[in-house]
């Protein structure tokens, strides 16, 4: 088995770990894909914001930078992690609400088509939003995959998508990285298949943004959204981001018309007219405090480079797979063995795992449980060491009382 001390010693990104805040009673944090650790810089930024901006600038702050923070942070995220040129990414709402806005806008842009395509094992919020929109618009949902399929490492392949999309499909909703299996989808390939039938695609990047490089412009992506509190370390309930390709911006209309996504909002005029560009995705007042911490992580991703982060993520998840093979030969690896098809977490399934997780949590080892029987080992590359992974997996193999 590889030696975690050697792997840490030769890790060029090891020093970045000290930039994150950690509590001594958490010895192995393996759930950075649910909620990233805070950066020390974010603690300072939040303090500074309250003293120097909120308390002292008060209402004047809106004119001094708060109002266009959603686009400014969006542009930085686009540049550092999404392969998106300026003017296409905005921070707002939650992933759920942005999914609703994007899918509704996409459906309305394909009038006469009556189906929305999504996978059976897609994240719940994505399925619920799609089912809700289908009911609202008198459409139907076409599912990829069987309803009661066992947990598997397989995700949405070209064949699986091609079998379901057709010229009655308005929109396809897909995840870049599956929340359960970590299967890494072929974004440009699947997008092309949907486009060939005339459908639009909404990509959910919640489990890839910040750890897996994306090239949204080059891949021909229409629309995307993703989470701000996972690998973007924005903190609990941090807002999400949305990407709308420039080519689509003039022709799409999102359904929640609010004053701060309108043209010249302070003229308070009759009748909604959307602001130009990506700003029209905004509805109400931007959640400024919620956007503070993610700025530090986006800056760090920019500093380190998304390719270097991906490289360490692959090394860490490969090490997890090696440990799983050694320590859990009787569990099912429900994540692709091929690193090129894997995001930044590893899921293993065994019938008795539901009992295991609370026991290791009590020891300060924090993986995640996903029904029916999966332990999910999430790897946030810049805040996780190889030694932490080794310690965590040994604790899971021999859990305390
Ligand atoms: C985490 C996650 C979300 C989160 O949605 P919120 O509304 O921001 O809570 C959505 N989709 C996927 C695939 C996720 O993994």
């Amino acid at each position: 088995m590889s030696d975690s001390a050697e792997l840490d010693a030769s890790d060029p990104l090891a020093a970045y770990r000290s930039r994150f805040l950690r509590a001594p009673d958490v010895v192995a944090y393996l759930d950075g894909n649910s909620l990233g650790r805070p950066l020390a810089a974010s603690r300072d930024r939040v303090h500074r914001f309250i003293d120097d901006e909120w308390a002292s600038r008060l209402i004047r702050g809106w004119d001094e930078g708060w109002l266009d923070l959603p686009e400014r942070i969006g542009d930085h995220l686009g540049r550092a992690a999404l392969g998106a040129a300026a003017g296409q990414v905005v921070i707002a709402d939650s992933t759920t609400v942005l999914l609703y806005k994007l899918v509704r806008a996409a459906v309305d842009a394909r009038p006469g088509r009556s189906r929305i395509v999504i996978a059976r094992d897609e994240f719940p919020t994505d399925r619920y939003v799609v089912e809700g929109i289908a009911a609202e618009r008198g459409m139907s949902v076409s599912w990829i995959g069987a309803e009661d399929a066992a947990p598997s490492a397989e995700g949405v392949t070209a064949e699986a998508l091609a079998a379901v999309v057709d010229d009655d499909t308005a929109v396809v909703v897909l995840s870049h990285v599956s929340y359960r299996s970590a299967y890494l989808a072929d974004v440009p390939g699947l997008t092309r298949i949907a486009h060939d039938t005339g459908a639009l695609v909404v990509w959910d990047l919640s489990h890839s943004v910040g750890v897996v490089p994306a090239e949204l412009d080059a891949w021909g992506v229409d629309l995307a959204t993703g989470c701000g509190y996972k690998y973007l370390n924005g903190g609990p309930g941090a807002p999400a981001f949305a990407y709308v390709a420039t080519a689509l911006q003039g022709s799409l209309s999102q359904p929640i018309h609010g004053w701060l996504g309108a043209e010249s909002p302070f003229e308070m005029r009759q009748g909604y007219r959307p602001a130009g560009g990506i700003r029209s995705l905004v509805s109400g007042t931007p959640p400024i405090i919620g956007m503070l911490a993610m700025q530090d992580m986006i800056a760090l991703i920019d500093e380190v480079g998304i390719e270097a982060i991906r490289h360490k993520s692959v090394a860490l998840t490969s090490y997890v797979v090696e440990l799983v093979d050694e320590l859990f030969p009787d569990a099912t690896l429900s994540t692709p063995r091929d690193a090129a098809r894997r995001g930044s977490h590893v899921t293993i399934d065994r019938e008795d795992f539901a009992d295991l997780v609370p026991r290791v949590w009590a020891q300060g080892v924090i993986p995640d449980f996903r029904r029916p029987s999966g332990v999910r080992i999430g790897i946030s590359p810049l805040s996780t060491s190889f030694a932490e992974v080794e310690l965590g997996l040994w604790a899971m193999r021999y859990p305390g009382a």
Side-chain angles (χ1 to χ4, degrees), residues 230-247:
K230 291 169 178 163
Y231 299 113
L232 293 182
N233 303 58
F241 68 89
Y243 165 92
V244 179
T246 304

Side-chain angles (χ1 to χ4, degrees), residues 221-308:
V221 166
D222 307 309
L223 304 160
T225 181
C227 189
Y229 51 79
K230 291 169 178 163
Y231 299 113
L232 293 182
N233 303 58
F241 68 89
Y243 165 92
V244 179
T246 304
L248 287 173
Q249 285 181 9
S251 59
L252 288 188
S253 172
Q254 63 92 357
I256 304 177
H257 297 176
W259 70 308
L260 284 179
E263 189 184 74
S264 315
F266 297 100
E267 289 177 17
M268 309 281 176
R269 71 162 71 96
Q270 297 298 319
Y272 171 78
R273 261 192 277 150
I278 192 70
R279 181 70 184 198
S280 67
L281 249 286
V282 169
S283 297
T285 303
I288 301 301
I289 289 185
M291 296 177 197
L292 294 174
M294 67 170 68
Q295 294 177 67
D296 301 300
M297 192 60 186
I298 294 167
L300 184 58
I301 292 166
D302 204 8
E303 178 186 338
V304 177
I306 188 69
E307 295 292 344

Side-chain angles (χ1 to χ4, degrees), residues 94-96 122-123 125-126 175 179 204 206-207 227 229-230:
S94 62
T95 315
T96 304
E122 186 50 87
F123 189 77
T125 219
D126 302 56
S175 273
Y179 82 101
D204 190 327
S206 290
H207 267 90
C227 189
Y229 51 79
K230 291 169 178 163

